[in-house]
Each structure stands twice: as structure tokens, then as C-alpha cells.
Amino acid sequence: MLRQSHLLGIEPLAPAEIGALLDLADRYADLNRSGRGHLDVLTGLTQINMFFENSTRTQASFELAGKRLGADVMSMAMAQSSVKKGETLIDTALTLNAMRPDLLVVRHGQSGAVDLLAQKVTDCAVLNAGDGRHEHPTQALLDALTIRRRKGRLHRLSVAICGDIAHSRVARSNILLLGKMENRVRLVGPPTLIPAGAGDLGVEVYHDMREGLRDVDVVMMLRLQKERMDGGFIPSEREYYHRYGLDAEKLACARDDAIVMHPGPMNRGVEIDGTLADDIHRSVIGTQVEMGVAVRMAAMDLLARNLRAARGARVVEV
Amino acid sequence: MATLFRDARLIDPEAGEERRGDLLVQDGRIADGPVPEDAEVIDCGGLCLAPGIVDLGVKVGEPGARHKESFRSAGRAAAAGGVTTIVTRADTDPPIDTPETLEFVARRAASESPVRVLPMAALTKRLAGREMTEIGFLSDAGAVAFGDGLRVVEDTRVLSRALTYARSCGALVVSHVQDPGLSRGAVATSGKFASLRGLPAASPMAERMALDRDIALLEMTGARLHVDQITTARSLPALERAKRGGLDITAGVSVHHLTLNEFDVGDYRTFFKLTPPLRAEDDRMAAVEALASGLIDVLCSMHEPQDEESKRLPFEAAASGAVGLQTLLPAALRLVHAGHLDLPALFRALSTNPARRLGLECGRLTTGAPADLVLFDPDRPFVLDRFTLKSKSLNTPFDGARMEGVVTGTWVAGDRVHHA
């Protein structure tokens, strides 16, 4: 169902592939809720999680997804390892090739690094768990599944992506995915946090949050990425909260049944009001985490099918 | 000793014309008058004969990075590319900022390179942008121009003093124009493409801002300035105004910025990572037109050898630059084949203008000029295989590209240095 052997981004995916992946993830979500325990879809396969950037939730989500499907899962915290000793990404790939993993989940701080790694590993499916400011495809897919389950559809919706878009790979993947599925996307944020050329991405740009939220179906908040900022994008957190933080009053501009999303981890009181984040009628933040596991199960399942098909097609020499 | 080039398509950039005919070379210079009996005859068979290219701003790895490029390998690449004079950059390790290092470089180059090598010297000590170098001593030792390579002298007071002092020595200053604040950390030109790829990017305005600053300092000091690379449309009116206002300013551009654009980076191809970064198509076209009109004076390769290790990294971390000595002419011929300019105009930018700006005798087909010549077939097609390049580093963005234009012979002072 996926044409490619890796999941590196939303950009190369066709709408039909996205739809099929979400259908499968939908079934995994139900299965997870039924508490039926482990499956054997990935039995005999080795999954290695390599996080060159620290992560808790994404790494845990991929680990859980692999384990639920029966894979042998191993996580390597690359941020404190050989990279510190000067090993290059290419050498890491060569080392990995010798270990013969089947699924490789990679997060890296630099845009394009996961693509580079994927070019150098052999006989292994690579999943991008976030590269620099480029893409975070499984996050966009889990957001899409959350929207689809909650709204009943994933087309002709009006979605506002708000906040620190310039530094966000989540925003890029979501812009691409929501665009491919024929939704209207608005970017809302201060001009310093809107990437250059945003107007050419097929989105509408708003600098006034109330205007940007008017009549939207989905409000997607982003974390203010303080660690990626090298100074002076916003005057202060309190002014940012006043103008771009989501609270009940600003949310009132959106449709009455608009849902509130956040990829986490949240800065309560910076980009989102704490009470609103906990409001089970509006906030779907918990569902997003739940769908994350299901989407990652589906992605790894589909890539493993491709991997097995490719291996089956080759002559086995013993 | 005399050589007669018979039946050549003579490209004369000074006269702005080309004609079919013969060219006599005697004692290393272009000569006039009767052909001596014993003259060696080279039948050019109608191929183009033009003044050898003067490549302004070449990075050679000596001292400091000989594994990337030595004077021998750079000289051979140059000869194979029709480049008869290499003007080297001073941003080596250590930088060429004292007469002693300059003499070392000149000596190494003279014994190793088959083509002429003329060194530039640093404008500030250790390229630190704080104190000017010994511009007088360095000029006496043979520095043809002064510049800190791809470093920008941020302190305007330091730069204004260096320009003022350089003026008194009659020295040419070469500056790189990128506003250091705006372009800090940037590896791409801001816009839709850089945003989608998630690459840190700088506005093309960074170039204009630095150019405006340098023009103001030029007006203040009356110095002679060459701007290494003008690559954006927005810089051109400022350059035009400065020239019209009578300032002693010239500008160059790299062939990569005239033949490639930001989309060539594709999926993070690091061989396309350059300084300044590749631009939007509109900017490329504007720079091509400016070269054709003569507003941009000099076309160069900005040859920057990088080894495989420094390029096999994530895009942001990878080294910047591309080799270009050997591909400068075939890449530049794309502009001729596309109808943007004719061969005499091309060689004005490749040979005559840089030579004139540096006060060199070469770059002309006139009687008395040094016989630095390139013989080439402008139409012969080939597919570039980077492993055939003579540079030690093979980081060319044209690997696998279809090109037209093959250099069949190169002469320096009448001596043949390349034969194909």
C-alpha cells in the first residue's frame, strides 16, 4: 500500500497512500482499545530506535508500537553516544548495516539527515521520527487520524496551525498532508515565526489570531521552540501569550465544535491556557497520543510488508 | 621560437568580434608580421582560439589543506579547463597575511603549477577583521589584490581604514558581500524551497545590504573595489548607480550562480551547497542579463575544493563550495548556447576584464600580449564524469551533466600546457 520502502516525509506520499495508512491505523486504534494484547505482525523483525535528539514521547510511542506488533525493539540514545566521539552519520549507518536491523526509527536535529541515513543503509526500512525543521511524518499522520475520527472526515475542513511555524517540522508535515487531502490551511503567528515564502505553500497567513481562528474546524497549536531560537523572535513570553496564546476567548472565534490539538510537550501559559488544554470537550491532546501508537503500528506494518516482499523477490543464497 | 595557429576562429573580446584567420606567436607573445620559415604550424581546423581565462578567486589548499588541492592539481585542472591564470584566495590555513607566507605560496606555485598563479593577500591579519595587513609589503611581494576570502570585515571602521590605506598603495580590494547578521547560520536562500526543506535561510537582501555598505565606504575612501560575487537581482541597481556615479568598482559572479538555481539542491544534495547559497530562478536570470550587459564584469569559478568527508554530512553541517576550474568554460558556454551572449562577450568576462582589473597584460589577442591561449570546440558534447577531473577534490555540481564545449589545447606564454 506504500510505494516507497521508507517513510521519510509526507511530501512523497499520494493521498491514496495516506488514506490507506489511516484506515489501517484506525483498525489498530480499535484493537489497542480492545486490550487484546500483542500481535505477531513484526515477529522476527528487529526495530532500532535512534534518537540523535532527545525525545520521550515519540520514542516511547514507537517503542510501544513495535512491541505491540511483536518486533524486537531496541532504543539507542544517540545524543550521549558515539556522536559525541565524532562519529559521522555515514559511519553510524555502516555500523548499523552490520547489525542488520529491519526497521530503523530515526530522529535527528538537522534537516535532511534522515534522508542521508536512508540512502546509506541497506535492506532496512527507515522511519523519520523528525529531522531538523524539515518533516515529522508520523506526527502529521496521527494528527490526521485524530481529526478524521473526531470530525468524521479529513477533507474540506478549515484548519488553523498556530504559533511557532518557522521552527516546526510538525507544521511542515501537517501543511503538506492537509493540503494533499484538500483542506484549507491557515497559518497563524507573528511574522517572525512564519517561514519565508509561506504564501506560496497554498495556505493563508494570518498575524491576528482572532481573525485567523474565525470559523475554523480545527485549531492546531504548536510548541514555542525556545531551544531552536537563536534570539529575538518574540519580545517576551507574556506578550506572546497575550497575542498568540490560545485561551477560551480567542477560541470563541472558531466554530463551536472546533477541536484543539497540540503535539506536545506543552508550554502551559505560553502558547495554550492550561484549563483549555485539559477541557475534554475541546482538547483532543490525549487522543493524539493514543493515535500516535496506532499510526506508528500501521506505518511499520506497511513498511515491513514492503521489506518482506523485496526480500522474497530475491534469491536466497545460503 | 614561433608558432602559427592556422585557420582558427579567433575570439577577440577587446574588439568584440570574432573572425576566421591565423595567429602568430613569437617568443611567448602574440606577434605580427611575416611568419618565420621554421615556425611550428598548428592547424586549428576552425576551432575557437581565445585569450586564456583569468580565474579570479580560486581556493587552493596550500598552505593547510594540500589533501584537498595542491598547486600542481589545481594547475593541471586549470590547464585542462583553459584557465591560464589562477588568482588565488588568501583564506588558507594559515591565511596569506604576511609577505613571508606570500613568498612561500608564490614559490610553491611557480614550481608546481603549469599555469600562472597570482596570489591575493588577506586584507586583515589572520582574517580576523581587526587590523589591516602589511598592504605595502604584500604588494611589493606580488599580491595582486587584497581580500579576506569569504569572510566579511564586519567592523566598518577597520574596513574604512584598510580601504583608505589600500588606496594610497594603489591596491585593489576584493570583498565578499553578505550581511553577517542576516546570513549567520544560513545555508539557503529564504523562500518556499528553503522553508519546505527546513533549512536555515537568509534573505537575498543580505547581499544588497553588504553591497550598499561597501559602496558607501568606497564613496568615503575613494578606494578600488572588486565585489567577488553579485548573485541577486536586488543588488544590481545599487551596483549600476555606483558605477554611474564614477566609483572605482567592479563585480564578479560565479558560473554556478548563472547556471544553477536553488531547486538544484533537491533532496539535500551537498555538492550544490555554495557560498552564497544558490538563488531563485529570477535572480539567476537577472545576473545572466547583468553579465551580458557588462554590469557584472567578471565571470569566475569560485573554485572551492572540498573532500568527500566534508560533503558527506547532513546539509547544514556539510562544507560549502564546488570545484570549477575545469568546468568553468563548458558551464559558461551554456549561456552562449542559450543565446544570452556571444563568445567575444563571454571572453570579455572570463579573460579581458579580470586581467584588466588586476593590471595584467594577458586576456587579449592583441599584438604584444602574452600568448596565453585556449583552443576549444564550443559545440562538442560530453557527459561530465567527476572522476575524470584533475582536481584532488571532485565536488562538482555538474557530475553526470550534459555539457557542450571541449578544450583541446591550452598555452601559457606560448608553451603548450594541455593537450586533448
Side-chain angles (χ1 to χ4, degrees):
Chain A
M1 268 186 283
L2 285 180
R3 291 171 303 170
Q4 304 202 335
S5 46
H6 306 298
L7 179 64
L8 299 177
I10 298 297
E11 198 178 358
L13 295 182
E17 291 176 289
I18 295 169
L21 197 149
L22 294 181
D23 289 344
L24 182 61
D26 214 15
R27 294 203 291 279
Y28 277 127
D30 292 340
L31 211 61
N32 286 341
R33 279 194 184 170
S34 75
R36 264 199 25 215
H38 291 216
L39 300 166
D40 55 5
V41 175
L42 298 182
T43 302
L45 297 184
T46 306
Q47 172 194 340
I48 300 185
N49 299 331
M50 296 181 78
F51 282 67
F52 292 88
E53 237 182 20
N54 288 326
S55 157
T56 311
R57 54 183 64 219
T58 307
Q59 187 173 336
S61 179
F62 269 109
E63 246 184 84
L64 201 54
K67 283 179 174 161
R68 286 206 178 141
L69 293 177
D72 296 316
V73 185
M74 189 180 108
S75 288
M76 295 164 79
M78 300 304 292
Q80 302 95 355
S81 74
S82 47
V83 183
K84 284 252 167 72
K85 299 175 191 160
E87 184 175 77
T88 67
L89 199 56
I90 305 277
D91 287 334
T92 307
L94 296 178
T95 310
L96 276 170
N97 280 342
M99 296 182 188
R100 310 202 63 78
D102 304 291
L103 293 156
L104 197 57
V105 178
V106 188
R107 168 172 288 190
H108 197 284
Q110 291 195 332
S111 305
V114 182
D115 293 56
L116 180 65
L117 195 73
Q119 287 164 24
K120 303 295 174 188
V121 295
T122 48
D123 195 30
C124 164
V126 177
L127 290 101
N128 182 359
D131 64 321
R133 311 173 186 179
H134 178 219
E135 282 228 44
H136 190 353
T138 56
Q139 178 71 43
L141 287 162
L142 75 87
D143 288 341
L145 184 60
T146 307
I147 295 171
R148 204 174 80 166
R149 283 174 79 106
R150 190 71 178 237
K151 288 283 165 196
R153 66 176 198 273
L154 187 61
H155 57 272
R156 293 168 71 185
L157 292 168
S158 191
V159 182
I161 304 177
C162 309
D164 183 3
I165 291 146
H167 297 96
S168 173
R169 52 194 173 216
V170 175
R172 278 168 184 75
S173 288
N174 266 314
I175 291 167
L176 290 168
L177 190 151
L178 293 166
K180 279 176 198 276
M181 305 311 273
E182 295 177 14
N183 297 284
R184 289 182 65 172
V185 179
R186 299 175 178 189
L187 303 183
V188 183
T192 46
L193 294 177
I194 302 280
D200 299 331
L201 299 176
V203 298
E204 296 164 67
V205 177
Y206 290 87
H207 301 308
D208 181 303
M209 194 158 183
R210 287 174 185 82
E211 240 177 80
L213 294 190
R214 187 149 299 133
D215 299 327
V216 298
D217 301 289
V218 178
V219 181
M220 209 177 256
M221 298 306 299
L222 296 171
R223 189 169 64 87
L224 194 64
Q225 301 208 31
K226 289 176 262 184
E227 71 279 7
R228 280 183 200 276
M229 294 189 183
D230 52 0
F233 286 85
I234 52 162
S236 71
E237 285 181 9
R238 61 180 192 179
E239 179 162 329
Y240 182 78
Y241 181 67
H242 177 70
R243 291 167 62 92
Y244 296 102
L246 187 68
D247 52 24
E249 190 241 314
K250 293 195 191 87
L251 184 61
C253 298
R255 287 174 61 108
D256 291 339
D257 60 351
I259 55 171
V260 175
M261 308 178 76
H262 194 298
M266 277 182 283
N267 297 308
R268 284 172 190 261
V270 178
E271 70 254 353
I272 191 164
D273 172 61
T275 326
L276 195 58
D278 299 331
D279 178 356
I280 53 162
H281 301 294
R282 306 305 292 269
S283 162
V284 294
I285 295 168
T287 317
Q288 285 176 275
V289 179
E290 185 190 352
M291 292 307 126
V293 179
V295 153
R296 285 160 186 139
M297 288 168 79
M300 289 198 286
D301 180 356
L302 293 179
L303 289 175
R305 291 183 204 183
N306 288 355
L307 193 68
R308 286 185 163 130
R311 285 173 182 172
R314 275 203 305 273
V315 180
V316 181
E317 290 173 31
V318 181
Chain B
M1 187 58 215
T3 310
L4 181 71
F5 293 86
R6 180 172 286 161
D7 188 27
R9 195 174 148 195
L10 298 167
I11 312 296
D12 185 346
E14 262 193 321
E17 59 175 37
E18 55 172 272
R19 61 180 174 83
R20 199 75 178 248
D22 301 343
L23 187 86
L24 180 66
V25 168
Q26 224 164 355
D27 302 322
R29 288 182 181 268
I30 294 165
D32 206 358
V35 180
E37 295 265 319
D38 62 343
E40 181 198 357
V41 176
I42 292 169
D43 186 2
C44 299
L47 296 185
C48 294
L49 189 66
I53 296 166
V54 179
D55 196 359
L56 207 173
V58 172
K59 178 82 173 271
V60 176
E62 289 192 53
R66 204 189 290 176
H67 68 287
K68 291 186 178 180
E69 193 82 289
S70 65
F71 282 113
R72 180 184 294 261
S73 62
R76 284 179 170 171
V83 175
T84 50
T85 302
I86 296 174
V87 182
T88 57
R89 288 197 335 233
D91 51 350
T92 47
D93 182 22
I96 302 164
D97 60 355
T98 62
E100 289 77 11
T101 11
L102 188 84
E103 275 161 20
F104 162 79
V105 163
R107 205 166 49 241
R108 283 278 308 161
S111 70
E112 296 290 314
S113 166
V115 306
R116 299 178 202 269
V117 176
L118 299 174
M120 289 194 270
L123 184 65
T124 68
K125 290 173 185 162
R126 293 176 306 280
L127 310 174
R130 284 196 292 273
E131 285 175 278
M132 72 176 94
T133 51
E134 295 168 320
I135 295 172
F137 278 158
L138 286 159
S139 294
D140 294 345
V144 291
F146 294 81
D148 284 357
L150 299 178
R151 302 257 194 113
V152 176
V153 179
E154 290 190 40
D155 189 327
T156 44
R157 188 154 63 172
V158 172
L159 183 56
S160 73
R161 283 178 184 156
L163 285 167
T164 306
Y165 193 86
R167 182 194 173 199
S168 72
C169 305
L172 177 70
V173 174
V174 176
S175 92
H176 178 70
V177 284
Q178 286 302 313
D179 182 75
L182 271 187
S183 55
R184 189 174 303 130
V187 297
T189 304
S190 63
K192 179 188 172 186
F193 181 75
S195 290
L196 272 177
R197 286 287 175 275
L199 293 172
S203 163
M205 199 56 101
E207 182 178 289
R208 225 291 287 293
M209 288 173 62
L211 177 65
D212 278 340
R213 181 195 74 152
D214 284 7
I215 287 172
L217 287 172
L218 206 57
E219 209 175 309
M220 187 172 122
T221 59
R224 302 173 59 217
L225 186 76
H226 176 74
V227 176
D228 65 348
Q229 299 181 79
I230 289 295
T231 60
T232 66
R234 290 232 172 121
S235 299
L236 295 169
L239 178 64
E240 207 266 324
R241 272 197 306 278
K243 281 189 164 186
R244 192 154 26 88
L247 297 181
D248 192 352
I249 185 171
T250 50
V253 65
S254 94
V255 75
H256 300 121
H257 289 90
L258 295 188
T259 52
L260 304 168
N261 69 24
E262 57 184 350
F263 296 118
D264 285 301
V265 169
D267 286 327
Y268 305 101
R269 295 195 289 173
T270 57
F271 279 18
F272 292 82
K273 182 177 176 184
L274 304 175
T275 308
L278 285 170
R279 305 301 194 183
E281 178 62 9
D282 289 350
D283 283 323
R284 183 188 77 88
M285 280 312 302
V288 168
E289 277 168 34
L291 184 81
S293 74
L295 178 57
I296 292 179
D297 308 83
V298 172
L299 178 56
C300 60
S301 72
M302 284 309 279
H303 182 82
E304 176 109 33
Q306 298 290 1
D307 56 19
E308 302 285 302
E309 295 313 315
S310 52
K311 282 286 188 182
R312 288 191 345 167
L313 292 169
F315 196 85
E316 262 181 77
S320 183
V323 290
L325 280 167
Q326 211 172 329
T327 47
L328 172 56
L329 182 55
L333 283 169
R334 285 183 171 180
L335 305 174
V336 174
H337 292 303
H340 295 302
L341 69 177
D342 59 14
L343 283 169
L346 179 66
F347 276 88
R348 195 155 52 227
L350 285 172
S351 309
T352 314
N353 287 346
R356 187 179 290 160
R357 189 59 170 149
L358 296 166
L360 311 176
E361 293 180 281
C362 60
R364 301 174 295 148
L365 276 195
T366 334
T367 303
D372 292 1
L373 300 166
V374 50
L375 183 68
F376 64 99
D377 180 347
D379 302 315
R380 196 196 300 174
F382 69 102
V383 175
L384 184 80
D385 171 2
R386 70 188 184 110
F387 293 99
T388 63
L389 294 178
K390 295 186 189 301
S391 281
K392 277 193 181 179
S393 296
L394 305 174
N395 54 311
T396 173
F398 295 116
D399 188 36
R402 291 164 196 279
M403 307 188 100
E404 285 173 84
V406 173
V407 175
T408 57
T410 307
W411 288 262
V412 174
D415 294 329
R416 189 157 196 169
V417 293
H418 172 69
H419 199 298

